[in-house]
Amino acid sequence: QVQLVESGGGLVQPGGSLRLSCAASGSISSMLVMGWYRQAPGKKRELVATIISTGISTGVTNYADSVKGRFTISRDNAKNMVFLQMNSLKPEDTAVYYCNGKKLVALTPVDYWGQGTQVTVSA
């Protein structure tokens, strides 16, 4: 089975930047979609960004309105890695960030999750 491992989280000042990485044990090309989600204390897990990994729409990205223009999702299929470049960070970006992959198994989408990496934006 595929395993996802996030890294790159940490403490950053408002307005700063951070780059998150997600390393997959298997081929991300086998996934329908790769993405990043986040969950703040007391809040539901929410979508941050996704990138389509297969089909004619491969490479198409989607972002939450709250991060558009500030965050960029990218991938490196050869290295089986997905990245999230975060710029102009705000305190409200503070959360645990999770890497996600969706794979079609027997015609059913299956979710794979990393363990999460903490991002804290504070002065």
Side-chain angles (χ1 to χ4, degrees), residues 26 35 71 75 94 101 115-116 121:
F71 291 10
R75 65 182 182 183
T94 296
Q115 82 289 346
V121 185

Side-chain angles (χ1 to χ4, degrees), residues 26-89:
S27 174
I28 64 173
S29 297
S30 67
M31 300 290 185
L32 294 174
V33 183
M34 296 295 298
W36 290 92
Y37 292 73
R38 67 186 182 187
Q39 187 167 22
K43 302 290 185 65
K44 294 181 178 179
R45 187 173 299 185
E46 65 175 353
L47 168 74
V48 176
T50 59
I51 182 166
I52 297 177
S53 301
T54 190
I56 62 174
S57 296
T58 184
V60 174
T61 58
N62 182 58
Y63 297 93
D65 289 340
S66 60
V67 307
K68 285 182 179 178
R70 300 189 298 120
F71 291 10
T72 302
I73 187 172
S74 61
R75 65 182 182 183
D76 187 333
N77 287 348
K79 296 183 180 296
N80 292 318
M81 297 188 71
V82 180
F83 308 96
L84 184 68
Q85 179 66 46
M86 305 184 294
N87 300 324
S88 302
L89 284 162

Side-chain angles (χ1 to χ4, degrees), residues 94-117:
T94 296
V96 177
Y97 284 70
Y98 297 91
C99 183
N100 168 262
K102 297 183 186 295
K103 187 176 183 179
L104 193 63
V105 180
L107 305 181
T108 302
V110 177
D111 280 293
Y112 297 89
W113 295 94
Q115 82 289 346
T117 185

